[in-house]
């Protein structure tokens, strides 16, 4: 899944970026509110981590503009402002969650997993279509009695497809979800990942729709 990180502090931004990439998320990191607005308008993301004390355009104003434009993209505020009034204001402006700095990266990732589950209409920490299951916390996939630990990119691709079983995702859509701005994408990267997943989980797990893309069928 592709995440937009809006954070002006270099040390914090680098730490969060590393943690997200290690957890199989693609990350686009911007350091001011105006650049963030352009990124939201021009690029698809699955969630945003938003600092409040930003240059050029503060986080609260950014949040207001995003919600006023009808954008329902999940937004998690990350801020050192720990007063109750600040937290209430952020949530009332449209944030989905509010995380006070300093925080443990494990908590940040857990909150992100919860947001993604709700986004996909899932209450369970496991995504599935009836025969195939993907554990979001352990990065393992299970089909029948077979349980397999996935690489970060394999996990990200399978997660993207399982969030919308029965829906076709094109090559471009998958690349957008799996790779950040600063990551090089080879022309056959998606094919390579799908080949690896089919080898581990079976050839019928991911269906190719000629000329359109790939999908995981709804419950068989």
């Amino acid at each position: 899944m592709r995440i937009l990180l809006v954070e002006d502090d270099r040390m914090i931004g680098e730490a969060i970026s590393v943690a997200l990439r290690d957890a199989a998320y693609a990350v686009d990191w911007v350091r001011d509110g105006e650049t963030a607005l352009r990124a939201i308008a021009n690029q698809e993301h699955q969630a945003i981590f938003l600092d409040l004390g930003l240059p050029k355009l503060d986080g609260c104003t950014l949040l207001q503009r995003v919600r006023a434009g009808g954008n329902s993209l999940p937004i998690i505020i990350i801020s050192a402002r720990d007063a109750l009034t600040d937290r209430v204001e952020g949530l009332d402006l449209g944030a989905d969650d509010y995380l006070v700095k300093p925080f443990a990266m494990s908590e940040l990732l857990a909150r992100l997993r919860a947001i993604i589950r709700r986004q996909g209409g899932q209450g369970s920490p496991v995504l599935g279509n009836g025969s195939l299951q993907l554990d979001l916390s352990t990065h393992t996939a299970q089909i029948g009695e077979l349980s397999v630990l996935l690489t970060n990119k394999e996990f990200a691709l399978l997660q993207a497809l399982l969030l919308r079983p029965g829906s076709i995702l094109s090559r471009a859509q998958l690349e957008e979800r799996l790779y950040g701005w600063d990551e090089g994408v080879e022309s056959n990267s998606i094919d390579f990942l799908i080949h690896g997943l089919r080898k581990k989980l079976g050839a019928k797990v991911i269906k190719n729709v000629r000329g359109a893309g790939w999908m995981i069928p709804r419950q068989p």
Side-chain angles (χ1 to χ4, degrees):
M1 303 272 79
R2 190 167 186 167
I3 309 300
L4 179 64
L5 172 61
V6 190
E7 170 61 67
D8 66 323
D9 186 287
R10 181 173 296 276
M11 184 176 296
I12 294 174
E14 287 178 349
I16 294 175
S17 294
V18 169
L20 288 171
R21 290 191 179 105
D22 286 347
Y25 298 99
V27 186
D28 296 328
W29 174 22
V30 298
R31 297 170 175 80
D32 67 80
E34 289 184 356
T35 304
L37 266 184
R38 292 194 293 272
I40 293 167
N42 298 319
Q43 188 70 58
E44 180 180 356
H45 296 91
Q46 280 64 57
I48 299 174
F49 283 111
L50 175 65
D51 186 24
L52 296 181
L54 299 169
K56 298 185 180 180
L57 185 70
D58 70 271
C60 286
T61 302
L62 171 61
L63 179 55
Q64 284 179 309
R65 292 188 184 181
V66 170
R67 293 306 188 222
N71 193 323
S72 59
L73 184 67
I75 298 176
I76 302 174
I77 291 174
I78 49 172
S79 175
R81 301 176 190 176
D82 60 355
L84 177 61
T85 53
D86 291 317
R87 287 178 278 149
V88 169
E89 180 185 15
L91 294 169
D92 282 345
L93 286 174
D96 296 272
D97 202 351
Y98 194 115
L99 189 56
V100 176
K101 299 174 182 175
F103 47 77
M105 290 300 170
S106 57
E107 182 180 5
L108 178 141
L109 294 171
R111 290 179 185 245
L112 178 57
R113 289 194 296 270
I115 288 283
I116 290 174
R117 289 200 303 271
R118 294 200 296 270
Q119 186 183 23
Q122 298 275 348
S124 168
V126 177
L127 298 178
N129 71 337
S131 61
L132 172 66
Q133 292 186 320
L134 179 66
D135 191 309
L136 300 181
S137 59
T138 64
H139 291 197
T140 55
Q142 183 168 344
I143 184 164
E145 297 298 319
L146 177 64
S147 182
V148 177
L149 180 63
L150 304 178
T151 68
N152 281 351
K153 291 301 183 188
E154 288 173 345
F155 168 79
L157 190 149
L158 200 59
Q159 181 185 35
L161 293 172
L162 275 174
L163 280 170
R164 296 179 181 178
S167 297
I168 300 169
L169 292 180
S170 68
R171 181 184 304 277
Q173 288 173 317
L174 287 171
E175 288 176 349
E176 283 184 351
R177 285 164 171 76
L178 268 65
Y179 299 97
W181 294 330
D182 57 350
E183 294 183 88
V185 185
E186 299 291 337
S187 60
N188 65 340
S189 294
I190 299 299
D191 304 86
F192 179 79
L193 291 171
I194 289 174
H195 174 76
L197 285 167
R198 285 171 170 165
K199 189 173 180 180
K200 290 180 178 180
L201 300 170
K204 296 182 179 180
V205 167
I206 300 174
K207 181 180 179 181
N208 176 256
V209 182
R210 188 176 297 277
W214 296 269
M215 64 176 284
I216 289 178
R218 296 182 184 275
Q219 185 167 345

